[in-house]
Amino acid sequence: MRNRFDRQMEELHTELIEMGALCEHVIGESFQALMSGDMEAASKIIGQDAAIDLKEREIETLCLKLLLQQQPVASDLRKVSAALKMITDMERIGDQASDIAEIVRTAGDLRAPAQTVQIGEMAQAASKMVTASIDAYVKQDLAIAQQVIADDDDVDRLFDLIRDELAHGIGKGVASVEQTMDILMIAKYFERIGDHATNIAEWVEFSITGHHRGEETE
């Protein structure tokens, strides 16, 4: 019985890694679509969200089988429960990438050199956070999870910087209000992706320690 459970947990790890890779891909592709202004590429990103949704359902089914058929002990129950929470945030990451692609597809050229460099830093940081949080789960590595949580401060800092520069640009007539709002929304979506990666890391932390940070504010 335990051997079967261990095999299914290995399958769960593989599925989570694959879902994380899909998330990492659409994060990178959404930024590339922004940089190139490629509307066709943006449309493909929107279509790829369906693959992330499908992976979420597959993992959810596997987790439910583990819960119903294997009768996991407390530590295993935490791992499976955490995985169910994690895939919800991963699915939302796919949604955020699609939202970015939709803005690129409909808004036209949004390439503002100063902001796109910083948005690129946000995209790269958020993508690394997603990958690291999944790695932390598979390895059950508390230090990696906690580093992901700390790294969210860098993403937030970049968003604040972009917001302030855009506000200053409006005052100087550097960009239109419409273009500024589109760029700000894209930056906000990347900031939210960082938040979702942080949520994933917090659930990894719970799977290891049995304590969730959200309990501190209740």
Side-chain angles (χ1 to χ4, degrees):
M1 182 70 76
R2 183 68 201 187
N3 287 340
R4 183 181 177 189
F5 179 85
D6 289 341
R7 287 195 301 271
Q8 287 183 315
M9 285 300 296
E10 289 177 8
E11 182 183 353
L12 174 59
H13 291 169
T14 300
E15 293 290 321
L16 285 169
I17 290 168
E18 290 178 2
M19 189 173 181
L22 287 171
C23 290
E24 186 178 3
H25 177 73
V26 294
I27 293 168
E29 289 296 304
S30 63
F31 176 69
Q32 289 303 317
L34 170 64
M35 289 296 292
S36 65
D38 189 334
M39 296 182 186
E40 183 177 348
S43 296
K44 288 180 180 178
I45 294 165
I46 295 168
Q48 289 170 358
D49 187 41
I52 294 176
D53 292 345
L54 176 60
K55 186 62 70 175
E56 179 193 25
R57 291 193 294 272
E58 290 174 349
I59 294 173
E60 187 176 59
T61 299
L62 178 56
C63 287
L64 291 176
K65 285 181 179 178
L66 281 163
L67 291 173
L68 295 173
Q69 297 176 2
Q70 301 299 329
Q71 298 178 334
V73 297
S75 60
D76 293 329
L77 181 61
R78 287 201 307 270
K79 292 177 187 177
V80 178
S81 299
L84 283 167
K85 296 289 188 179
M86 289 161 60
I87 59 174
T88 299
D89 279 293
M90 293 165 75
E91 188 274 334
R92 289 296 297 142
I93 288 169
D95 290 344
Q96 305 292 357
S98 292
D99 289 337
I100 293 167
E102 182 63 26
I103 294 175
V104 173
R105 192 175 68 84
T106 59
D109 190 0
L110 296 172
R111 289 170 286 182
Q115 280 75 47
T116 50
V117 169
Q118 293 153 357
I119 289 173
E121 291 177 10
M122 288 183 74
Q124 185 177 35
S127 182
K128 286 182 177 179
M129 288 170 66
V130 174
T131 302
S133 62
I134 303 301
D135 189 42
Y137 178 84
V138 172
K139 294 178 179 177
Q140 288 290 281
D141 191 315
L142 185 60
I144 296 176
Q146 291 175 337
Q147 184 60 55
V148 171
I149 295 167
D151 288 344
D152 190 45
D153 289 342
D154 292 333
V155 177
D156 291 342
R157 176 184 54 78
L158 285 164
F159 173 75
D160 290 342
L161 181 61
I162 292 168
R163 181 195 58 205
D164 293 346
E165 287 188 356
L166 288 172
H168 183 69
I170 289 179
K172 293 227 170 193
V174 174
S176 69
V177 173
E178 291 80 7
Q179 184 187 49
T180 297
M181 291 305 298
D182 285 332
I183 295 170
L184 182 61
M185 282 305 302
I186 287 172
K188 186 62 180 176
Y189 285 134
F190 279 121
E191 189 263 343
R192 288 177 182 171
I193 288 172
D195 289 342
H196 287 299
T198 301
N199 289 345
I200 293 168
E202 289 179 353
W203 283 113
V204 174
E205 190 177 53
F206 165 79
S207 75
I208 298 168
T209 67
H211 175 74
H212 190 268
R213 293 184 184 221
E215 296 172 358
E216 296 172 1
T217 60
E218 292 179 357

